[in-house]
Amino acid sequence: MASTAKPNIGILIATQLVSVIGDSFGQRCSRVNYKHSTRHMMIGLCLMTAVQMFVIMGILQLSLPTSITGAIYIDNIKVDCYKELDIEGKIMDCTPLNCTVIPCKSQGPFSMFRSIGLHPFLLTNGLMNIIYYNGEVFLYKEPLGLLFLVISALSSTFLINPMNIIFGEPINQPIPLLIYLFGIGGSILSVIEFTPKKKKTESEIAEEEEKKTLLDSSNNNSNNNSSGADKQPLLLNDDNDDIEVFSENVNEGSVSSNTHFRNNKQKKVQSIENIDDSPSSSSSSSSNNNNNNSNNNNNNNVEIEEEKEISPQHVIIENSINNSEIVNSNDNNNEKSKGIEIGKIIIRGIKIFIPLVMLAIANALWMETSLFYNDQFRTNAFGYNSLDQSLLPFYLFPFMILVDFVKPLKRTFLNDSDQNESLIQAVKSTWKETNLITLFIYRLLINGRAIMYFYLAIQYDLTMVYLESTLVRVVMNWFGAIVLNLLLPKWINATPEERKKTFHPINLLLKCVGTAGVVVSLIILNK
């Protein structure tokens, strides 16, 4: 049966206070030391976490009594250790009647390989870490990354009961819909931020007006030139045929106009040929010669006139064809550009949706596997956190090597500056940029939070404790951001624009309203 105990709100506040302080050191590492390089940050936290947890947990395993480092709690009750479960690695229901009771052995970094040997499934924890850290990095790159992180964390609470079924754990009590409405709505209002418009200086306003005037003048000149070119062919010739051809060109299209023009031309040529059949052609030879010369001259004149007629008409027809082609081309280009924009929006949405879902799954898996490893594999907080953190480089570095050699992955997972250096160069740069004290404190606090999460997960209702922790985290995170920007802006290298955005009245109002919603949901949860 699942635990129905509710954690004390004071414990959750203490846990999230540790988290907020740790995140502030993390911000300094990311913004000041590593200058927003996600890969340098990943390398630094990965190596520091592994070394730190191995040393600290190793000291605790060797120095603390076994009653502490070897204790196993199930449903908030300390249980006995059995040979069949803890030595042979069997998964079965043991009691003192059917199993052999033995003293519990201490757990930590020196026992984690024995645990892996008994239960190789523990290595899947590495896959979860890869998903979690990369999903978090992906969402951090988005302008609304913090909002997506909160949504993914809250969404993961919906996955805990389905995972309980998959892992064979007891089902937790369902959370009332009203709590989700207040909690999620309040969380979104607490993290979303309005970006104030930058006020333009007088010189910038004058410069924009000057550019606008020049642009309008240029457009007017181009319009005058184009309108003059369109009217010129009509002014060259007042022949009714030209006007008729132009009229048909406008109304019926260029194909019918060309046909009509050719018909007119054929009629004119035919009328010229009929001159030879007139009565005057039976005169004397000299008269015939004169007539022939006259006919030749007339033919030449007719051809010249036809050329005069053809030239403006052809100009008009060609202009019409070109204009229609330009219009069609512009329409096609507009349709293509719209399609491209829609495609970009869809791709961007997919790029956000996939890491958001994966991060939600990773969050839920972390809480679920903490409970599952404790109940089924007998891995307590000392053993699990040693396994989870000390082996982190063995999980993340193979993935980083893969990203470094596969160019599509490199473009996907790394920003522009990180793409220009190899993994070896990145490790060297990380070492030069690292402030060991800041990084040490950052990881110490975050790892301390992880240990506290583990105890909360195995002692209380998993869905309840994770939802409450996330809601408290939302409020304390924005409160911590206010304090840092107010008292220590240089410490996290906050820009004036960021500070202005943080203290904008609309943003402060949104956070206060959101906090009220979160508080209401917490009150309902703790009735």
Side-chain angles (χ1 to χ4, degrees):
M1 182 178 178
S3 174
T4 58
K6 295 180 180 179
N8 187 292
I9 191 67
I11 297 175
L12 296 180
I13 292 175
T15 302
Q16 297 309 319
L17 181 61
V18 171
S19 176
V20 168
I21 297 173
D23 286 337
S24 66
F25 279 89
Q27 276 190 298
R28 179 167 177 81
C29 290
S30 176
R31 299 167 65 93
V32 178
N33 301 131
Y34 299 127
K35 299 175 179 61
H36 299 278
S37 171
T38 54
R39 183 154 74 162
H40 293 185
M41 181 72 172
M42 184 85 74
I43 293 170
L45 72 86
C46 173
L47 294 176
M48 176 58 76
T49 297
V51 173
Q52 183 184 87
M53 290 299 286
F54 187 87
V55 172
I56 293 177
M57 299 301 277
I59 292 173
L60 293 177
Q61 184 180 5
L62 296 175
S63 60
L64 292 177
T66 307
S67 59
I68 296 176
T69 58
I72 299 173
Y73 291 85
I74 297 178
D75 293 335
N76 206 16
I77 299 173
K78 187 176 180 179
V79 298
D80 294 325
C81 293
Y82 300 95
K83 176 183 177 182
E84 289 78 6
L85 300 180
D86 300 292
I87 301 298
E88 298 175 359
K90 296 179 181 179
I91 299 177
M92 56 184 292
D93 292 329
C94 271
T95 65
L97 298 176
N98 63 348
C99 294
T100 305
V101 178
I102 60 172
C104 294
K105 294 186 176 182
S106 65
Q107 296 190 35
F110 301 115
S111 65
M112 61 183 177
F113 294 107
R114 177 172 58 85
S115 299
I116 293 173
L118 293 175
H119 305 287
F121 188 79
L122 289 168
L123 290 174
T124 58
N125 191 70
L127 177 62
M128 184 179 62
N129 279 331
I130 292 173
I131 295 172
Y132 176 81
Y133 283 107
N134 284 284
E136 194 173 49
V137 167
F138 256 100
L139 295 183
Y140 270 136
K141 294 192 295 184
E142 295 298 324
L144 297 177
L146 186 58
L147 174 63
F148 296 137
L149 286 172
V150 171
I151 292 174
S152 67
L154 291 172
S155 300
S156 62
T157 59
F158 294 99
L159 303 175
I160 290 178
N161 269 337
M163 287 186 179
N164 282 335
I165 297 174
I166 295 173
F167 285 92
E169 295 293 331
I171 303 299
N172 297 312
Q173 292 181 345
I175 303 295
L177 180 61
L178 186 63
I179 293 175
Y180 276 117
L181 291 177
F182 278 107
I184 294 176
S187 298
I188 291 174
L189 290 177
S190 296
V191 298
I192 197 170
E193 288 187 333
F194 166 78
T195 303
K197 292 183 178 180
K198 183 181 178 182
K199 292 184 178 180
K200 297 178 181 179
T201 61
E202 293 182 359
S203 60
E204 289 176 340
I205 295 173
E207 185 178 354
E208 285 187 0
E209 290 180 352
E210 184 179 355
K211 288 181 180 179
K212 186 177 180 181
T213 303
L214 292 174
L215 183 61
D216 292 340
S217 175
S218 176
N219 290 335
N220 290 333
N221 291 334
S222 62
N223 290 334
N224 291 334
N225 292 334
S226 62
S227 61
D230 292 338
K231 293 177 181 178
Q232 186 177 1
L234 289 176
L235 297 175
L236 290 175
N237 199 328
D238 292 335
D239 194 346
N240 291 333
D241 291 337
D242 294 338
I243 297 173
E244 184 180 2
V245 171
F246 177 76
S247 176
E248 287 193 20
N249 182 30
V250 173
N251 295 327
E252 297 180 12
S254 59
V255 176
S256 61
S257 300
N258 284 326
T259 305
H260 181 78
F261 176 77
R262 286 194 296 270
N263 290 338
N264 285 341
K265 182 179 177 181
Q266 289 173 359
K267 289 178 182 179
K268 290 181 180 181
V269 173
Q270 186 177 3
S271 64
I272 294 169
E273 290 174 351
N274 289 337
I275 295 175
D276 294 335
D277 297 332
S278 63
S280 61
S281 61
S282 58
S283 304
S284 62
S285 60
S286 61
S287 176
N288 288 337
N289 291 334
N290 291 332
N291 287 335
N292 289 335
N293 292 332
S294 176
N295 288 338
N296 290 333
N297 291 332
N298 289 335
N299 288 337
N300 292 333
N301 292 332
V302 170
E303 289 177 359
I304 292 171
E305 289 179 1
E306 288 176 359
E307 289 178 0
K308 289 181 180 179
E309 292 175 356
I310 292 170
S311 297
Q313 291 165 354
H314 270 299
V315 170
I316 296 169
I317 293 168
E318 291 296 331
N319 285 341
S320 175
I321 294 172
N322 292 335
N323 289 336
S324 63
E325 288 177 352
I326 291 171
V327 171
N328 293 333
S329 176
N330 289 337
D331 291 340
N332 292 334
N333 290 335
N334 289 335
E335 291 178 359
K336 288 180 180 179
S337 62
K338 288 180 181 178
I340 292 172
E341 288 299 323
I342 293 173
K344 287 181 178 179
I345 293 172
I346 293 173
I347 292 173
R348 182 174 176 80
I350 293 173
K351 285 184 176 180
I352 294 173
F353 180 75
I354 291 177
L356 189 147
V357 172
M358 298 303 289
L359 191 58
I361 294 173
N363 281 323
L365 273 175
W366 192 91
M367 298 296 288
E368 185 67 36
T369 53
S370 300
L371 182 62
F372 179 77
Y373 294 160
N374 180 83
D375 293 353
Q376 302 297 326
F377 298 158
R378 317 278 288 181
T379 306
N380 65 12
F382 292 93
Y384 176 76
N385 284 283
S386 297
L387 173 73
D388 183 49
Q389 303 298 323
S390 298
L391 298 181
L392 200 57
F394 297 96
Y395 304 140
L396 292 182
F397 268 92
F399 182 78
M400 285 191 279
I401 292 172
L402 178 65
V403 169
D404 201 49
F405 280 97
V406 181
K407 289 186 178 180
L409 291 177
K410 196 171 187 177
R411 289 193 297 267
T412 302
F413 284 91
L414 303 180
N415 55 34
D416 293 337
S417 60
D418 289 339
Q419 291 179 27
N420 296 328
E421 60 180 3
S422 66
L423 181 58
I424 296 176
Q425 292 172 332
V427 172
K428 292 179 180 178
S429 299
T430 301
W431 174 253
K432 293 178 182 178
E433 296 168 353
T434 297
N435 184 309
L436 291 176
I437 296 176
T438 304
L439 185 61
F440 180 86
I441 296 173
Y442 161 51
R443 294 316 301 169
L444 180 65
L445 293 172
I446 296 302
N447 290 327
R449 180 193 67 180
I451 295 173
M452 296 171 77
Y453 273 169
F454 184 90
Y455 275 113
L456 291 172
I458 65 175
Q459 292 188 17
Y460 301 104
D461 183 293
L462 193 58
T463 305
M464 188 79 68
V465 73
Y466 192 69
L467 177 60
E468 285 194 70
S469 297
T470 303
L471 294 176
V472 173
R473 176 187 175 188
V474 168
V475 176
M476 296 195 69
N477 270 352
W478 80 257
F479 182 75
I482 294 288
V483 171
L484 286 174
N485 280 278
L486 183 64
L487 302 179
L488 301 169
K490 293 183 179 180
W491 195 71
I492 59 170
N493 198 24
T495 63
E497 290 78 13
E498 289 173 329
R499 296 187 68 198
K500 186 177 180 181
K501 184 177 180 180
T502 300
F503 295 109
H504 195 280
I506 294 178
N507 291 332
L508 293 176
L509 178 63
L510 288 173
K511 294 181 189 306
C512 291
V513 174
T515 300
V518 171
V519 170
V520 169
S521 64
L522 289 173
I523 292 173
I524 298 173
L525 276 171
N526 287 278
K527 276 186 177 180

